[in-house]
Structures are given as structure tokens and as C-alpha cells.
Amino acid sequence: MSAGLAIYPLHGPTAEELLRSADLALYDAKASGRNCLRPFRPELRAELQRQVSMLAVGREALSAEWIRPFYQPKVDLITGKVVGFEALLRWDHPTRGVQTPDTLAAAFDDRDLGCQISAFMQRQVISDMRHWLQSGVAFGHVALNASGVDLRRPGFADELLGRLAAAGVPAAMVEIEIVESVFLGRDLDIVEEAFAILSRAGISLSLDDFGTGYASLSHLQRFPVSVLKIDRSFVTPLLADCSDAPIVNAVIGLATGFRMKTVAEGIETAEQALLLRRAGCDIGQGFFFSPARPAADIPELTRRRFFTVPIRCSGA
């Protein structure tokens, strides 16, 4: 159970305003992980207005078709070659230019709008993949992000597979990235069924931001996860003096034990890349290699080798 608390007259001088404050506190309790009581805070009104604004912008960006995928390369830490890409949402405002998805955050949590944006992104990414295949571009695979809203909607997996089949894109060239919060809440049976359908079709499942959320070892055993992504918050502390990183080593060791691959995101320096390679991490992703780029840049990126000699740590 989750509950929101509002106190008269501090949080509302009338019954209507008091109930509105209690509702805002209830939403805050649900957003905090449920099973808790949250009192009303005045800043919740400002947060509600911000969310309403995001929803309006999200609807406009979708209807005007400003949303488009950018692609960040995933690089083999041994060979330096691109082995795949992550599709990241961007939206191109006619006057403000290319915007990042955090400006639309509330839209992704809305059941209807979030699913519409996800489907729009899927169609664009699959269209890009079909074009690359027809042009002979060796892009490896593309990772798509799927939210809890997506995965709790019956039919999500079948619709994705239908779009891939219609475009002639092999399912094995797609990876689905999820965050640990999808393991919480209701409809976990629907989520599990979606995972099973995708896995049987050859789509791999990647657990994003591992170690920062709610996943447990039992989830790694129960669900067909094949890739663990090391969150940037664990990569950033890897310093140029090549100091040990126990958490990173632990995640890599865990993945090895479960026969999974590891991807480190947020790599910004050669030193970080070297430390991760020495620790046994398979794939790197971050600004050290490339920021997310538009689809037109992908053929050139696939031909690059990001290091042709062993990368060295300064002072080593």
C-alpha cells in the first residue's frame, strides 16, 4: 500500500485543495517505490506543472515527428572495432535544435504516450537497420531501450517481431535494454512472457545500469539476461592511476559466472578503457569513442578502429 498525507489547513484551506495535495503526495509515494507514506510538500506542485509541460512537449514532438534516433557505438575493448550501437532518443526542435530525452522524461512514464513514442522510435530504428543492411553496412547489432510501460503492455514483443519481419531485419541483430525497475510492481508475469518471446526469437536482453537499482541474483537466474551493463557511476571513479575498482571487478566476475557479456558505459578516457579491458570487460561505450551520432554517420563509424595499438594508461 502507498499513501499520501495532507494536513488542514497547512496543505489546503478547502476540502478540494486538501484532496488535491493528498493526491500529489500519493503520486510521490508511488514514485518512491510504493509501500510507504509520503506527506505533501509544496515543491510537488511545481513538479506536477513540470510533468504537465513535459507531456505537452512530448505530444507535440511526436505529432510533428521531431523524434529521431541517434546511435552511440559499442566498441570491442580488445580489437577496438565497433560491434554494435545503442539507439538513443533525440528530438529536433525547429528553433532550439537537437534535444536530449530528459526534457521529455514524464512522457515516457505515461502509458499511452510512452508506448506511442516507443513504437515511433522502433519504426525509425528498424528502417535505418534495413537501409544499412541493403547498403552492406556491417553495423553488428542495435540496442533498443524498453521501459516498464512497454513491457507491461501485452503484445509488445509480438509487435516488435512483426515490424522486424516486415522490414526483413533479423531479430538476432536487435538487443533490448531494460532497467532493473521492470522487475518491480505488478504484471511481472506479462514482463516475463515478453522476455521469453523475445529470447526465443533470438533477441538478446541487456540489463542496463546494473547495480544501481533493484535486480537480485534470482532475477539473473529467472530471466534470460545475456548482457550486464556497468553503470557510468562505477566507471567514472576509475582514475588515471589505474587504482582497483572492486565494484566493477565484482560485476564482471558475476557476468562471467553467469556466462554473460559486460558493457561499460560512460567511458571518457583511454585510462578507463584500459582498466576495464584489464578487468575482463568485453565492450565499451562512451564519449572516449564517440557521442551518439545521427544515422547518416553510422557507415563511417563502422569502418573505424578506435585503437590500433594497445591503449596505455598514463604512468604505467
Side-chain angles (χ1 to χ4, degrees):
M1 174 181 285
S2 303
L5 171 67
I7 302 172
Y8 173 85
L10 182 63
H11 299 148
T14 67
E16 182 180 0
E17 291 185 33
L18 196 66
L19 284 172
R20 189 179 300 120
S21 296
D23 277 341
L24 290 174
L26 175 59
Y27 297 146
D28 186 43
K30 291 179 177 179
S32 300
R34 299 180 179 271
N35 194 31
C36 60
L37 169 67
R38 287 287 185 270
F40 172 78
R41 296 176 285 113
E43 55 266 33
L44 291 177
R45 288 198 183 98
E47 176 63 20
L48 175 63
Q49 183 56 49
R50 190 176 72 91
Q51 291 182 359
V52 170
S53 177
M54 283 186 180
L55 288 172
V57 173
R59 292 188 184 97
E60 184 180 15
L62 181 63
S63 63
E65 299 189 353
W66 293 339
I67 294 171
R68 62 189 61 185
F70 273 44
Y71 300 91
Q72 187 170 42
K74 297 164 122 179
V75 177
D76 187 304
L77 290 179
I78 298 298
T79 67
K81 295 181 178 180
V82 173
V83 294
F85 292 87
E86 180 181 359
L88 298 168
L89 184 146
R90 299 290 186 267
W91 62 285
D92 195 356
H93 191 274
T95 58
R96 296 199 297 268
V98 177
Q99 305 290 305
T100 53
D102 55 298
T103 55
L104 302 177
F108 306 127
D109 295 328
D110 182 86
R111 183 178 295 273
D112 294 329
L113 183 56
C115 289
Q116 291 175 37
I117 292 175
S118 176
F120 187 82
M121 272 286 289
Q122 278 185 23
R123 289 192 292 269
Q124 289 193 305
V125 170
I126 292 170
S127 176
D128 288 340
M129 294 174 72
R130 178 178 59 188
H131 174 70
W132 296 331
L133 284 171
Q134 292 171 342
S135 303
V137 178
F139 60 88
H141 71 272
V142 175
L144 286 161
N145 290 278
S147 68
V149 171
D150 288 321
L151 292 165
R152 290 187 177 91
R153 181 174 59 82
F156 167 79
D158 289 327
E159 289 173 11
L160 172 58
L161 293 175
R163 292 187 183 109
L164 290 169
V169 175
M173 287 184 154
V174 174
E175 186 175 280
I176 292 294
E177 290 197 10
I178 60 169
V179 293
E180 299 176 16
S181 58
V182 302
F183 299 129
L184 298 180
R186 297 169 298 176
D187 302 325
L188 190 57
D189 55 332
I190 297 176
V191 174
E192 188 170 12
E193 182 182 4
F195 289 165
I197 293 171
L198 296 171
S199 181
R200 285 196 299 267
I203 291 178
S204 57
L205 194 66
S206 174
L207 187 53
D208 200 3
D209 302 340
F210 182 73
T212 64
Y214 310 96
S216 67
L217 296 183
S218 63
H219 290 132
L220 298 184
Q221 290 180 316
R222 177 177 175 182
F223 300 101
V225 176
S226 55
V227 180
L228 291 185
K229 292 197 77 174
I230 303 171
D231 185 66
R232 66 180 64 249
S233 64
F234 301 135
V235 173
T236 300
L238 297 178
L239 303 177
D241 62 1
C242 300
S243 59
D244 291 335
I247 295 178
V248 170
N249 291 332
V251 174
I252 294 171
L254 185 64
T256 301
F258 279 100
R259 297 181 181 179
M260 300 174 182
K261 287 188 175 295
T262 47
V263 177
E265 58 184 358
I267 298 176
E268 297 183 355
T269 67
E271 288 83 2
Q272 291 170 335
L274 176 60
L275 288 170
L276 288 159
R277 185 169 72 178
R278 285 178 174 171
C281 183
D282 300 298
I283 297 167
Q285 181 180 347
F287 276 29
F288 172 64
F289 303 111
S290 173
R293 304 269 289 274
D297 294 349
I298 300 313
E300 185 273 330
L301 281 174
T302 61
R303 294 190 291 269
R304 291 183 58 184
R305 189 168 178 177
F306 286 90
F307 41 85
T308 56
V309 295
I311 51 179
R312 291 184 172 86
C313 181
S314 60

